[in-house]
Amino acid sequence: MTREADLGSLCSWLDASPTPFHAAQSATERLSAAGWQKLDRFAEGLPSRGVRIVDGSVLAWKRGAPGSPYRIIGAHTDSPNLRVQPNPETGAAGTAQLGIEIYGGVLLNSWLDRDLGLAGRVVARDGTVKMFHVGDAVARIPQLAIHLDREINDRGLLLDRHAHLTPIWGTSATGFRDWLGSVTGTDDIVAFDAQLFDTQRAAVIGRDHSLLVSGRLDNQLSCWAAVEAMVSSGATSDHTVIVVLNDHEEVGSDSVTGAGGPLLANLLAAIDHEEGLDPRRAMDRRAESWCISADNAHAVHPNYQERHDPRHGPILNAGPALKLNGNQRYATSARGAGLMRALADSEGIPLQTFVTRNNMPCGSTIGPITATNLGIEAIDIGVPQWSMHSARETVGAEDPTRLRDLLSAFANG
Ligand code: ZN
């Protein structure tokens, strides 16, 4: 594919996926179109290329020789955002407002003065679940005027997490459930998951078209790269390739569909069982396997260069970054780093290294969780970006395809 087609494919994915449920659907649609068979229950038997969607998470696989080592690529579908409360109707000063709950480590100021849409799913009394995606701007959180907040530019913006982020969705809006009923064509809604998102579409910007901007680049960029890597990886090795896209990474991964839950372990057990593996051989198989946790890294910000170690600060458009942390917040060992460096060199893909400063706490990923739960050695790697957890983030436009190509080489490899 051309650069334009690759970036168009990523931007379309991002625009179509305002929530983890939609991201899971985007992944499944892409895989189905490439010949992957959808599976609802493991007991149906596992096809050679299959995909299973569970709420906001996805399991997909391409089976190799029976008993062959696993090559697993993991990423997360969720991003920090604002979610509508169960009883949301409120308002003051002639406005209709929606109460919200903050999900994950939101960069709060980035949600001010943006045109916000709503997406999620509704549950009807008979248990029917229907997804919705309203791309029109239906809400906004106006920032206080500088005349009413005179010291803001000197002391910084102070936001009360509960009081100051309540969106306005009109001056005469109807009840929220009635509105959901009309946009989904559902009578008798008994519950919903509804998330706000920035309606501005993903775009390639810059005088030289070198930057890609969008919401949810952390971490749907990696979800896109993982799925495209699986689709494009050929049959040059016997490995069994798995892509696992988990929800709930931004809130600690402990859930049925998070990396702390049993989704991936269940898939491995199902494949091992179908291939008739002795339990001891299944343990050995895991010890021979590798897992990549693909998740974005912090790029050096030109206005804040002191926030990085000068020898371990990745920059935009210079390739994906290996993420290392001796305290195991990232899982990459020297062995894992060596494997990726050899793959990157053989494919001609530039590879950077990220290590956090000793006086700056380090985030984590699903890599160490997967390694701990399954005994499969993990490698943390990701595209460098600015403004992580902003409503609109920035990456280098050349890096997403490099991550895809590196993941594809890993799958083949
Ligand atoms: Zn992330």
Side-chain angles (χ1 to χ4, degrees):
M1 286 216 283
T2 63
R3 178 184 190 268
E4 280 64 37
D6 284 332
L7 291 176
S9 158
L10 172 55
C11 288
S12 301
W13 170 307
L14 291 161
D15 290 336
S17 311
T19 76
F21 310 120
H22 293 84
Q25 193 177 49
S26 293
T28 307
E29 281 171 7
R30 176 71 180 103
L31 288 163
S32 298
W36 264 253
Q37 203 177 320
K38 277 196 213 166
L39 189 81
D40 289 327
R41 295 174 193 286
F42 287 134
E44 292 168 21
L46 272 66
S48 61
R49 292 187 300 167
V51 54
R52 185 166 176 206
I53 186 167
V54 185
D55 291 330
S57 294
V58 176
L59 289 168
W61 59 89
K62 187 170 83 172
R63 293 172 64 181
S68 61
Y70 292 113
R71 288 281 166 118
I72 302 166
I73 305 168
H76 65 91
T77 55
D78 61 322
S79 304
N81 66 10
L82 309 181
R83 302 189 168 196
V84 180
Q85 291 174 332
N87 301 316
E89 289 94 350
T90 182
T95 67
Q97 292 176 276
L98 294 172
I100 54 95
E101 183 179 21
I102 297 169
Y103 175 87
V106 172
L107 201 50
L108 298 176
N109 63 293
S110 70
W111 287 77
L112 303 177
D113 291 337
R114 281 182 197 270
D115 296 344
L116 302 174
L118 276 161
R121 61 181 184 176
V122 296
V123 180
R125 187 167 298 280
D126 65 1
T128 312
V129 177
K130 205 184 267 187
M131 286 168 46
F132 69 95
H133 178 180
V134 178
D136 298 334
V138 292
R140 190 170 173 95
I141 309 168
Q143 186 165 358
L144 191 60
I146 193 163
H147 314 80
L148 306 179
D149 195 7
R150 286 284 185 192
E151 291 105 54
I152 181 174
N153 288 337
D154 298 315
R155 67 155 163 68
L157 173 63
L158 296 177
L159 291 169
D160 179 299
R161 295 168 70 84
H162 200 71
H164 293 160
L165 292 163
T166 309
I168 290 146
W169 75 314
T171 55
S172 60
T174 51
F176 188 65
R177 280 184 199 210
D178 292 342
W179 178 78
L180 278 182
S182 67
V183 298
T184 59
T186 307
D187 297 328
D188 216 4
I189 291 172
V190 290
F192 57 83
D193 290 308
Q195 307 180 12
L196 290 153
F197 65 93
D198 181 11
T199 56
Q200 193 173 359
R201 297 170 78 82
V204 177
I205 66 159
R207 171 67 187 85
D208 54 359
H209 308 291
S210 60
L211 306 172
L212 191 152
V213 289
S214 172
R216 304 174 300 284
L217 287 169
D218 170 21
N219 189 28
Q220 289 191 34
L221 184 160
S222 305
C223 295
W224 172 86
V227 167
E228 291 298 327
M230 178 179 249
V231 168
S232 65
S233 66
T236 56
S237 85
D238 287 339
H239 293 130
T240 296
V241 182
I242 291 175
V243 168
V244 54
L245 309 179
N246 286 114
D247 199 352
H248 301 144
E249 190 271 349
E250 299 291 358
V251 292
S253 295
D254 285 339
S255 74
V256 168
T257 52
L263 280 185
L264 179 57
N266 287 351
L267 174 62
L268 301 187
I271 294 175
D272 290 346
H273 176 78
E274 284 213 355
E275 295 177 0
L277 249 62
D278 173 89
R280 293 163 299 184
R281 176 69 197 104
M283 288 177 218
D284 291 342
R285 182 184 205 176
R286 293 186 185 193
E288 296 159 6
S289 299
W290 286 100
C291 173
I292 284 187
S293 164
D295 201 347
N296 291 359
H298 297 293
V300 176
H301 190 307
N303 302 346
Y304 300 87
Q305 294 177 54
E306 74 286 356
R307 304 296 166 106
H308 279 75
D309 178 82
R311 293 175 309 283
H312 302 96
I315 59 174
L316 265 53
N317 283 331
L322 267 175
K323 302 192 281 183
L324 293 105
N325 181 261
N327 295 296
Q328 302 302 306
R329 302 287 290 163
Y330 301 135
T332 319
S333 71
R335 232 161 58 83
L339 172 71
M340 294 316 291
R341 209 148 287 282
L343 279 173
D345 288 348
S346 69
E347 299 292 319
I349 299 167
L351 188 61
Q352 309 186 74
T353 308
F354 175 67
V355 179
T356 193
R357 290 179 71 90
N358 285 311
N359 52 7
M360 213 163 278
C362 178
S364 191
T365 73
I366 62 174
I369 297 169
T370 305
T372 304
N373 286 349
L374 298 175
I376 294 178
E377 187 163 351
I379 300 161
D380 276 284
I381 196 162
V383 163
Q385 72 159 103
W386 293 324
S387 318
M388 192 175 282
H389 294 187
S390 165
R392 197 162 174 83
E393 303 171 323
T394 306
V395 295
E398 307 308 321
D399 292 330
T401 51
R402 288 168 170 159
L403 176 66
R404 176 201 62 195
D405 295 345
L406 187 57
L407 295 178
S408 184
F410 168 78
N412 280 330

